[in-house]
Amino acid sequence: MAGRFISLEGGEGVGKSTQIKRLAEALRARGHEVVETREPGGSPGAEAIRKLLLEGEAERWTAETETLLFAAARADHVARTIRPALARGAWVLTDRFLDSSLAYQGGAGGVGEAAIRQLHAIGSGGLLPDRTLLLRLPAESAAARASTRDGGAGDRIGGRDASYHARVAAAFEALAAQEPERFRPVDASGPAGDVTERILAALADLL
Ligand SMILES: Nc1ncnc2c1ncn2[C@@H]1O[C@H](COP(=O)(O)OP(=O)(O)O)[C@@H](O)[C@H]1O
Ligand SMILES: Cc1cn([C@H]2C[C@H](O)[C@@H](COP(=O)(O)OP(=O)(O)O)O2)c(=O)[nH]c1=O
């Protein structure tokens, strides 16, 4: 049986990595094989590209170069980790995927959506998740959670200004409205267990 491919999206600090772990536990308890992964990264080659993307000066790369590096990392992640796991019948849960490129490099960075989708077609055969959970949290709460976690030391992209992150959030909302079948918005506020229940409800038709 082919597996299921689920992505979690949203800004920094909304709780994506926390929820991936909780969702993986819930799915394993139902007897599924689960692969937890993340972007940029998720395969040895893509983790090497991750360092190039997240370390160094904010202006290290142009928006276009950054887009190509994310697409290259994603191509390796898809070929080496995601497709083999899906072929075995596993559930693949990824912390970010294509929609992060569309929101950050596209909506906020100004690179065209069609170009990003074309790179995805070339690099990753256009693979899309079966479901994308968009975790929604007010910007102040997300920033407070992220700064508790990182002590205020953001990476190259997380450290960009509030207007950049506001454009990211608006772009995610627009993507969710464009593809209501694939996307499910999830209220990410309140205790982690409540958020996991909302996520399981948003996957009920796939379970
Ligand atoms: N529901 C929640 N309530 C309070 N704090 C949370 C909740 N979910 C996650 N956190 C904490 O907020 C911080 C950011 O969460 P994380 O899962 O790393 O977010 P993301 O992966 O989206 O950046 C972490 O310190 C985490 O422990
Ligand atoms: C996958 C992806 C991530 N990013 C950004 C979003 C984050 O700022 C950063 C990944 O950092 P990471 O620390 O993994 O994410 P988070 O802060 O959500 O826990 O890379 C893009 O700009 N484009 C992409 O395609």
PDB file of all heavy atoms in Angstrom, residues 3 16 88 139:
ATOM      1  N   GLY A   3       2.088   4.871   1.011  1.00  0.00           N
ATOM      2  CA  GLY A   3       1.939   5.568   2.281  1.00  0.00           C
ATOM      3  C   GLY A   3       1.218   6.894   2.114  1.00  0.00           C
ATOM      4  O   GLY A   3       0.657   7.185   1.061  1.00  0.00           O
ATOM      5  N   LYS A  16       5.351  23.373  15.001  1.00  0.00           N
ATOM      6  CA  LYS A  16       5.391  22.302  13.990  1.00  0.00           C
ATOM      7  C   LYS A  16       6.181  21.089  14.464  1.00  0.00           C
ATOM      8  O   LYS A  16       5.714  19.955  14.360  1.00  0.00           O
ATOM      9  CB  LYS A  16       6.008  22.814  12.669  1.00  0.00           C
ATOM     10  CG  LYS A  16       5.201  23.931  12.013  1.00  0.00           C
ATOM     11  CD  LYS A  16       5.851  24.420  10.735  1.00  0.00           C
ATOM     12  CE  LYS A  16       7.239  24.992  10.932  1.00  0.00           C
ATOM     13  NZ  LYS A  16       7.288  26.177  11.825  1.00  0.00           N
ATOM     14  N   ARG A  88       7.313   2.131   0.589  1.00  0.00           N
ATOM     15  CA  ARG A  88       7.190   1.042   1.581  1.00  0.00           C
ATOM     16  C   ARG A  88       5.850   1.047   2.297  1.00  0.00           C
ATOM     17  O   ARG A  88       5.564   0.193   3.104  1.00  0.00           O
ATOM     18  CB  ARG A  88       8.212   1.199   2.713  1.00  0.00           C
ATOM     19  CG  ARG A  88       9.646   1.174   2.417  1.00  0.00           C
ATOM     20  CD  ARG A  88      10.436   0.945   3.731  1.00  0.00           C
ATOM     21  NE  ARG A  88      10.345   2.017   4.712  1.00  0.00           N
ATOM     22  CZ  ARG A  88      11.102   3.096   4.714  1.00  0.00           C
ATOM     23  NH1 ARG A  88      11.992   3.291   3.765  1.00  0.00           N
ATOM     24  NH2 ARG A  88      10.968   3.999   5.662  1.00  0.00           N
ATOM     25  N   ALA A 139       1.072  36.261  15.675  1.00  0.00           N
ATOM     26  CA  ALA A 139       2.517  36.492  15.529  1.00  0.00           C
ATOM     27  C   ALA A 139       3.214  36.668  16.880  1.00  0.00           C
ATOM     28  O   ALA A 139       4.320  36.147  17.085  1.00  0.00           O
ATOM     29  CB  ALA A 139       2.761  37.706  14.640  1.00  0.00           C
TER      30      ALA A 139
END
